Amino acid sequence: MSDKRLQQLNQYNGYTNKIKHTSNSELALRNKFVFFGKFDPVKFESKIDWNYKHHHARATYQVYLHCLHMVRYLTNSYLKTQELKYLDKAKETIQEWLIAKENQSFDTKNSAWKDHSAASRMKNLVYYQINVPNEYKINENKFEKIVQKHCKFLAMKEHYSENNHGMMSDEALLYLSNFIKDESSAKMYQEKAILRMERIIYKLYSSKSYNLENSPEYHRLTQNLSSRFIRLVDLMEINFDVSCRKIIEKSFLNNKRIIKPDLTYPLIGDTGLYTANFEKDYNNFIDYQAGLSIINTEHEETPSESSWFSFKSGYLLRSHKHHDDLSINYFYEGEDILIDSGKYTYDRRNPKRTFISSPQGHSTVYKMNMSYGLNDPVYDIENMKINFVYENTDYVHLAGINHLFEDVKIYRDIIYYEQLGFIAIDRYESSSQQFMGQNFNLHPDVKVNELDENTFLLNTPKGNKLHLKEHTSRTLNKYFSIEDENRGFYSEKFNVLLDAHQIEFRKNNVSSAFVTSLFDINKVSLENVVFENESISFNLNGESIKINLQKI
């Protein structure tokens, strides 16, 4: 390999003139390691325990431990300070990992050989190998064997997933092929990586170029992984499918429509708080394949006071999917009113994670204390989806179904007035009596006052006042405050819970409906709300309105 190509690959792999020495390296010298980002530091008394189990995020910490990111930041500290103590620790860490018995087999019970950890670890080892003095480099023949072993693992079908993890594997496999001396082996791995990446882009993205893994965060992640792969392909002067390039290029336009007016990504699915650095596009985004609709309403004079509304139902992939179908989120005149629950952790055994991903963690309608199976998206799409989004000059009508709860069919219609608020009509049918709930997940800064039976006043920090009212008979309500240990939380950052509160309306019968309005009381007079089986009529600001609902 030429020096120029090696330099290009090193820069691709993260080397810049702006590398930093961080406090993480100082901690590592004391055997106290930060596995990734802002994770809690983990102290080991002597050697690293490669089977380490974190107290509340076991699986995640295991994967990132075996990524060996500490090797990279120790290498960077050496490059910045020229102090060999950081290389001594990096080399010691590498040797510990290589000789540990529990890390040898692909079938190990720890996370040494997971797609994510193997892909990241090898890129960190290559980074070390390129950037350290000769006396610290891993023996050339030994390094070749390490690369070959990782390529063999990443190429194996049984260790490959057709999701964002597969993209990590393909990108790492293509990158590592540059460090294999046998040309036929290198070419084989290159061809496999390219063919798999082309296939996965076609699978992961809808016809509107939106990622189907149920999360704006993973839409952004797979964009970045795909873009990096394409950049590497071009660096290596290899052909790559033109349509795949265009899908990824187009996908970046969707980000501008999905983000809220404050430029943050919605916490839908497994998504954490992230603020974009580009201008928002106020055109609506409607993708029936992804089961996501975003209605954008621009305040032309003061864009920061614009509004945003989301409606989610359906899936084509299970990755990062919550039980959030028929759920809504509402950003009104520059303020969050109804929010999603975020991701918190990937550990499915964690009870907080269980709640955050449950129907009760979202603003939706559901069978109380129950969930539903996500078994087969090919067949489930007939029973859970957005049926239509109809727009006219007065309102937007969004309609969807969820028929996956046992013995319950749910139909949700939202009549959304972009400048004013909305009415949610939730009908359900069953062959037996059901305990049903309709939930509203409130931002912690929204203050709640109960005015009368099933009517709540929501006060926002900017002084907006909204009425939340359920209009039908035989409906009970329950307010879950911020202090509630079981429901008073959501998550914006990994492993961090924040306060939230909820208002839940309840019914207990065979077939019935919730009819609930949320409007700005300074703009709206709502009267004479009458629900019939397939229509809703009401008087809004003096105008009589009747709207047909989706058919049952």
Side-chain angles (χ1 to χ4, degrees), residues 363-415:
S363 297
T364 189
V365 56
Y366 43 77
K367 185 175 180 178
M368 294 284 292
N369 304 314
M370 297 292 292
S371 193
Y372 49 91
L374 300 170
N375 301 312
D376 188 335
V378 175
Y379 290 96
D380 285 349
I381 195 170
E382 299 302 321
N383 294 305
M384 190 169 67
K385 59 183 175 179
I386 295 175
N387 269 334
F388 63 79
V389 179
Y390 165 74
E391 304 174 63
N392 62 29
T393 56
D394 296 321
Y395 60 82
V396 181
H397 184 175
L398 306 101
I401 61 171
N402 183 354
H403 296 174
L404 293 186
F405 282 104
E406 184 178 357
D407 193 28
V408 179
K409 292 183 177 181
I410 303 173
Y411 303 80
R412 168 163 272 196
D413 290 74
I414 305 288
I415 312 302

Coordinates of all heavy atoms in Angstrom, one line a residue, residues 363-415:
S363 N -48.4 8.8 23.9 CA -49.8 9.4 23.8 C -50.6 8.7 22.8 O -50.7 9.0 21.6 CB -49.6 10.9 23.4 OG -48.9 11.6 24.4
T364 N -51.2 7.6 23.3 CA -52.0 6.7 22.4 C -53.2 6.1 23.1 O -53.5 6.5 24.2 CB -51.1 5.7 21.8 OG1 -51.8 5.0 20.7 CG2 -50.6 4.7 22.8
V365 N -53.8 5.2 22.5 CA -55.0 4.5 23.0 C -54.7 3.0 23.0 O -54.0 2.5 22.1 CB -56.2 4.8 22.2 CG1 -56.1 4.5 20.8 CG2 -57.5 4.1 22.8
Y366 N -55.1 2.3 24.1 CA -54.6 0.9 24.3 C -55.5 0.1 25.2 O -56.3 0.7 26.0 CB -53.2 0.9 24.9 CG -53.0 1.9 26.0 CD1 -53.4 1.7 27.3 CD2 -52.3 3.1 25.7 CE1 -53.2 2.6 28.3 CE2 -52.1 4.0 26.7 CZ -52.6 3.8 28.0 OH -52.4 4.7 28.9
K367 N -55.3 -1.2 25.2 CA -55.9 -2.1 26.2 C -55.1 -2.0 27.5 O -53.9 -2.2 27.4 CB -55.9 -3.5 25.6 CG -56.6 -4.5 26.5 CD -56.7 -5.9 25.8 CE -57.4 -6.9 26.6 NZ -57.4 -8.2 25.9
M368 N -55.7 -1.6 28.6 CA -55.0 -1.3 29.8 C -54.1 -2.5 30.3 O -54.6 -3.7 30.3 CB -56.0 -0.9 30.9 CG -56.7 0.4 30.7 SD -55.7 1.8 31.0 CE -55.5 1.7 32.7
N369 N -52.9 -2.2 30.7 CA -52.0 -3.1 31.3 C -51.7 -4.3 30.3 O -51.3 -5.4 30.8 CB -52.5 -3.7 32.6 CG -52.8 -2.6 33.6 OD1 -52.0 -1.6 33.8 ND2 -54.0 -2.6 34.2
M370 N -51.8 -4.0 29.0 CA -51.5 -5.1 28.1 C -50.6 -4.5 26.9 O -50.6 -3.2 26.7 CB -52.8 -5.6 27.5 CG -53.7 -6.3 28.4 SD -53.0 -7.9 29.1 CE -53.0 -8.9 27.6
S371 N -49.9 -5.3 26.2 CA -49.2 -4.9 25.0 C -49.7 -5.8 23.9 O -50.6 -6.6 24.0 CB -47.7 -5.0 25.3 OG -47.0 -4.3 24.2
Y372 N -49.0 -5.8 22.8 CA -49.4 -6.6 21.6 C -48.1 -7.0 20.9 O -47.0 -6.4 21.0 CB -50.2 -5.8 20.7 CG -49.7 -4.4 20.3 CD1 -48.9 -4.2 19.2 CD2 -50.0 -3.3 21.1 CE1 -48.4 -2.9 18.9 CE2 -49.5 -2.0 20.7 CZ -48.7 -1.9 19.6 OH -48.2 -0.6 19.3
G373 N -48.2 -8.2 20.3 CA -47.0 -8.7 19.6 C -46.7 -8.1 18.3 O -47.6 -7.6 17.6
L374 N -45.4 -8.0 18.0 CA -44.9 -7.5 16.7 C -44.3 -8.7 16.1 O -43.1 -9.0 16.2 CB -43.9 -6.4 16.9 CG -44.4 -5.1 17.6 CD1 -43.3 -4.2 17.9 CD2 -45.5 -4.4 16.8
N375 N -45.1 -9.5 15.4 CA -44.7 -10.8 15.0 C -44.2 -10.9 13.5 O -43.2 -11.5 13.2 CB -45.9 -11.8 15.1 CG -46.4 -11.8 16.6 OD1 -45.6 -12.0 17.5 ND2 -47.7 -11.7 16.8
D376 N -45.0 -10.3 12.6 CA -44.6 -10.4 11.2 C -45.1 -9.2 10.5 O -46.3 -9.0 10.2 CB -45.3 -11.7 10.6 CG -44.8 -12.0 9.2 OD1 -44.4 -11.0 8.5 OD2 -44.9 -13.1 8.7
P377 N -44.2 -8.3 10.1 CA -44.6 -7.0 9.5 C -45.4 -7.2 8.2 O -46.2 -6.4 7.8 CB -43.3 -6.3 9.3 CG -42.2 -7.3 9.4 CD -42.8 -8.3 10.3
V378 N -45.1 -8.3 7.5 CA -45.8 -8.5 6.2 C -47.3 -8.7 6.4 O -48.1 -8.2 5.6 CB -45.2 -9.8 5.5 CG1 -46.0 -10.1 4.2 CG2 -43.7 -9.5 5.2
Y379 N -47.6 -9.4 7.5 CA -49.1 -9.6 7.8 C -49.6 -8.6 8.7 O -50.8 -8.2 8.6 CB -49.3 -11.0 8.3 CG -49.1 -12.1 7.3 CD1 -47.8 -12.8 7.2 CD2 -50.1 -12.5 6.4 CE1 -47.6 -13.7 6.2 CE2 -49.9 -13.4 5.4 CZ -48.7 -14.1 5.3 OH -48.5 -15.0 4.4
D380 N -48.8 -8.1 9.6 CA -49.3 -7.1 10.6 C -49.7 -5.8 9.9 O -50.5 -5.1 10.5 CB -48.2 -6.8 11.7 CG -48.1 -7.9 12.7 OD1 -48.9 -8.8 12.7 OD2 -47.1 -7.9 13.5
I381 N -49.2 -5.5 8.8 CA -49.5 -4.3 8.1 C -50.9 -4.1 7.8 O -51.5 -3.0 7.6 CB -48.6 -4.1 6.8 CG1 -48.6 -2.6 6.4 CG2 -49.1 -5.0 5.7 CD1 -47.6 -2.3 5.3
E382 N -51.6 -5.2 7.6 CA -53.1 -5.2 7.4 C -53.8 -4.8 8.6 O -55.0 -4.4 8.6 CB -53.6 -6.5 6.8 CG -52.9 -6.9 5.5 CD -53.1 -5.9 4.4 OE1 -54.3 -5.4 4.4 OE2 -52.2 -5.7 3.6
N383 N -53.2 -5.0 9.8 CA -53.9 -4.8 11.1 C -53.4 -3.6 11.9 O -54.0 -3.3 12.9 CB -53.8 -6.0 11.9 CG -54.5 -7.2 11.3 OD1 -55.7 -7.1 11.1 ND2 -53.8 -8.3 11.1
M384 N -52.4 -2.9 11.4 CA -51.8 -1.8 12.1 C -51.1 -0.9 11.1 O -50.1 -1.2 10.6 CB -50.9 -2.2 13.2 CG -50.4 -1.1 14.1 SD -49.6 -1.8 15.6 CE -48.0 -2.4 14.8
K385 N -51.7 0.3 10.9 CA -51.2 1.2 9.9 C -51.8 2.6 9.9 O -52.8 2.8 10.6 CB -51.4 0.6 8.5 CG -52.9 0.4 8.2 CD -53.1 -0.3 6.8 CE -54.5 -0.6 6.6 NZ -54.7 -1.3 5.2
I386 N -51.2 3.5 9.2 CA -51.9 4.8 8.9 C -52.8 4.5 7.7 O -52.3 4.1 6.6 CB -50.9 5.9 8.6 CG1 -50.1 6.2 9.9 CG2 -51.6 7.2 8.2 CD1 -49.0 7.2 9.7
N387 N -54.1 4.7 7.8 CA -55.0 4.5 6.7 C -54.9 5.6 5.7 O -54.9 5.4 4.4 CB -56.4 4.3 7.1 CG -56.7 2.8 7.4 OD1 -56.1 1.9 6.8 ND2 -57.7 2.5 8.3
F388 N -55.0 6.9 6.2 CA -54.9 8.0 5.3 C -54.5 9.3 6.0 O -54.7 9.4 7.2 CB -56.2 8.2 4.5 CG -57.4 8.5 5.3 CD1 -57.6 9.8 5.8 CD2 -58.3 7.5 5.6 CE1 -58.8 10.1 6.5 CE2 -59.5 7.8 6.3 CZ -59.7 9.1 6.8
V389 N -54.0 10.2 5.3 CA -53.8 11.6 5.8 C -54.5 12.5 4.7 O -54.0 12.6 3.6 CB -52.3 12.0 6.0 CG1 -52.2 13.4 6.4 CG2 -51.7 11.0 6.9
Y390 N -55.6 13.1 5.1 CA -56.3 14.0 4.2 C -56.1 15.5 4.6 O -56.3 15.8 5.8 CB -57.8 13.6 4.2 CG -58.7 14.7 3.6 CD1 -58.7 14.8 2.2 CD2 -59.5 15.5 4.4 CE1 -59.6 15.8 1.6 CE2 -60.3 16.4 3.8 CZ -60.4 16.6 2.4 OH -61.2 17.5 1.9
E391 N -55.7 16.3 3.7 CA -55.5 17.7 4.0 C -56.4 18.6 3.2 O -56.6 18.4 2.0 CB -54.0 18.1 3.7 CG -53.0 17.2 4.4 CD -51.6 17.5 3.9 OE1 -51.1 18.7 4.2 OE2 -51.0 16.6 3.3
N392 N -57.0 19.6 3.9 CA -57.7 20.7 3.1 C -57.3 22.0 3.7 O -56.4 22.1 4.6 CB -59.2 20.4 3.1 CG -59.8 20.5 4.5 OD1 -59.3 21.1 5.4 ND2 -60.9 19.7 4.7
T393 N -58.0 23.1 3.3 CA -57.6 24.4 3.8 C -57.9 24.7 5.3 O -57.4 25.6 5.9 CB -58.2 25.5 2.9 OG1 -59.6 25.3 2.9 CG2 -57.7 25.4 1.5
D394 N -58.8 23.8 5.8 CA -59.3 24.1 7.2 C -58.6 23.2 8.2 O -58.2 23.6 9.3 CB -60.8 23.8 7.3 CG -61.6 24.9 6.5 OD1 -61.2 26.0 6.5 OD2 -62.6 24.5 5.8
Y395 N -58.4 21.9 7.9 CA -57.8 20.9 8.9 C -57.1 19.8 8.1 O -57.2 19.6 6.9 CB -58.9 20.4 9.8 CG -60.0 19.7 9.0 CD1 -59.9 18.3 8.6 CD2 -61.2 20.3 8.7 CE1 -60.9 17.7 7.9 CE2 -62.2 19.7 8.0 CZ -62.1 18.3 7.6 OH -63.1 17.7 6.9
V396 N -56.4 19.0 8.9 CA -55.8 17.8 8.5 C -56.5 16.6 9.2 O -56.6 16.6 10.4 CB -54.3 17.7 8.7 CG1 -53.7 16.4 8.2 CG2 -53.6 18.9 8.1
H397 N -56.9 15.6 8.4 CA -57.6 14.4 9.0 C -56.6 13.3 8.9 O -56.3 12.8 7.8 CB -58.9 14.1 8.3 CG -59.7 13.0 8.9 ND1 -60.9 12.7 8.4 CD2 -59.4 12.1 9.9 CE1 -61.4 11.6 9.1 NE2 -60.5 11.3 10.0
L398 N -56.1 12.8 10.0 CA -55.2 11.6 10.1 C -56.0 10.4 10.6 O -56.7 10.6 11.7 CB -54.0 11.9 10.9 CG -53.2 13.2 10.6 CD1 -53.5 14.3 11.5 CD2 -51.7 12.9 10.6
A399 N -55.9 9.3 10.0 CA -56.6 8.1 10.4 C -55.7 6.9 10.4 O -55.0 6.6 9.5 CB -57.8 7.9 9.6
G400 N -55.8 6.1 11.5 CA -55.0 4.8 11.5 C -55.7 3.8 12.4 O -56.7 4.1 13.1
I401 N -55.2 2.5 12.3 CA -55.8 1.4 13.0 C -54.7 0.7 13.8 O -53.6 0.7 13.4 CB -56.6 0.4 12.1 CG1 -55.6 -0.2 11.1 CG2 -57.7 1.1 11.4 CD1 -56.2 -1.3 10.3
N402 N -55.2 0.0 14.9 CA -54.3 -1.0 15.6 C -55.3 -2.1 16.0 O -56.1 -2.0 16.9 CB -53.7 -0.4 16.8 CG -52.7 -1.4 17.5 OD1 -52.7 -2.6 17.1 ND2 -52.0 -0.9 18.5
H403 N -55.1 -3.3 15.3 CA -56.0 -4.4 15.6 C -55.1 -5.6 16.1 O -55.5 -6.7 16.0 CB -56.7 -4.9 14.3 CG -57.6 -3.9 13.7 ND1 -58.3 -4.1 12.5 CD2 -58.1 -2.7 14.2 CE1 -59.1 -3.1 12.3 NE2 -59.0 -2.2 13.3
L404 N -54.0 -5.2 16.7 CA -53.1 -6.3 17.2 C -53.3 -6.6 18.7 O -52.7 -7.6 19.1 CB -51.6 -5.9 17.0 CG -51.1 -5.8 15.5 CD1 -49.7 -5.5 15.4 CD2 -51.5 -7.1 14.7
F405 N -54.0 -5.8 19.4 CA -54.3 -6.2 20.8 C -55.3 -7.4 20.7 O -56.1 -7.5 19.8 CB -55.0 -5.1 21.5 CG -54.1 -4.0 22.1 CD1 -54.0 -2.8 21.4 CD2 -53.3 -4.2 23.2 CE1 -53.2 -1.8 21.9 CE2 -52.5 -3.2 23.7 CZ -52.4 -2.0 23.0
E406 N -55.2 -8.3 21.7 CA -56.0 -9.5 21.7 C -57.5 -9.0 21.9 O -57.8 -8.3 22.9 CB -55.6 -10.4 22.9 CG -56.4 -11.7 22.9 CD -55.9 -12.6 24.0 OE1 -55.0 -12.3 24.7 OE2 -56.6 -13.7 24.2
D407 N -58.3 -9.4 21.0 CA -59.8 -9.2 21.1 C -60.2 -7.8 21.1 O -61.2 -7.4 21.7 CB -60.4 -10.0 22.3 CG -61.9 -10.1 22.2 OD1 -62.5 -10.1 21.1 OD2 -62.5 -10.1 23.3
V408 N -59.4 -6.9 20.6 CA -59.8 -5.5 20.5 C -59.3 -4.9 19.1 O -58.2 -5.1 18.7 CB -59.1 -4.6 21.6 CG1 -59.5 -3.2 21.5 CG2 -59.5 -5.1 23.0
K409 N -60.2 -4.2 18.5 CA -59.9 -3.4 17.3 C -60.0 -1.9 17.6 O -61.0 -1.5 18.0 CB -60.8 -3.8 16.1 CG -60.6 -5.2 15.6 CD -61.4 -5.5 14.4 CE -61.2 -6.9 13.9 NZ -62.0 -7.3 12.7
I410 N -58.9 -1.2 17.4 CA -58.9 0.2 17.7 C -58.8 1.0 16.4 O -58.0 0.7 15.5 CB -57.7 0.6 18.6 CG1 -57.8 -0.3 19.9 CG2 -57.7 2.1 19.0 CD1 -56.6 -0.1 20.8
Y411 N -59.6 2.1 16.3 CA -59.5 3.0 15.2 C -59.3 4.4 15.8 O -60.1 4.9 16.6 CB -60.9 3.0 14.4 CG -61.3 1.7 13.9 CD1 -61.9 0.7 14.8 CD2 -61.1 1.3 12.6 CE1 -62.3 -0.5 14.3 CE2 -61.5 0.0 12.1 CZ -62.0 -0.9 13.0 OH -62.4 -2.1 12.5
R412 N -58.3 5.1 15.3 CA -58.0 6.5 15.7 C -58.1 7.5 14.6 O -57.5 7.3 13.5 CB -56.6 6.6 16.4 CG -56.2 8.0 16.6 CD -55.0 8.2 17.6 NE -55.5 8.3 18.9 CZ -54.8 8.7 20.0 NH1 -53.5 9.0 19.8 NH2 -55.3 8.8 21.2
D413 N -58.9 8.5 14.8 CA -59.0 9.6 13.8 C -58.6 10.9 14.6 O -59.1 11.2 15.7 CB -60.5 9.8 13.4 CG -60.9 8.7 12.4 OD1 -61.2 7.6 12.9 OD2 -61.0 8.9 11.2
I414 N -57.7 11.7 14.0 CA -57.3 13.0 14.5 C -57.8 14.1 13.5 O -57.4 14.0 12.3 CB -55.8 13.0 14.6 CG1 -55.2 11.9 15.5 CG2 -55.4 14.4 15.2 CD1 -55.5 11.9 16.9
I415 N -58.5 15.0 14.0 CA -58.9 16.2 13.3 C -58.0 17.3 13.8 O -58.2 17.8 14.9 CB -60.4 16.5 13.4 CG1 -61.2 15.3 13.2 CG2 -60.8 17.6 12.5 CD1 -61.1 14.6 11.9

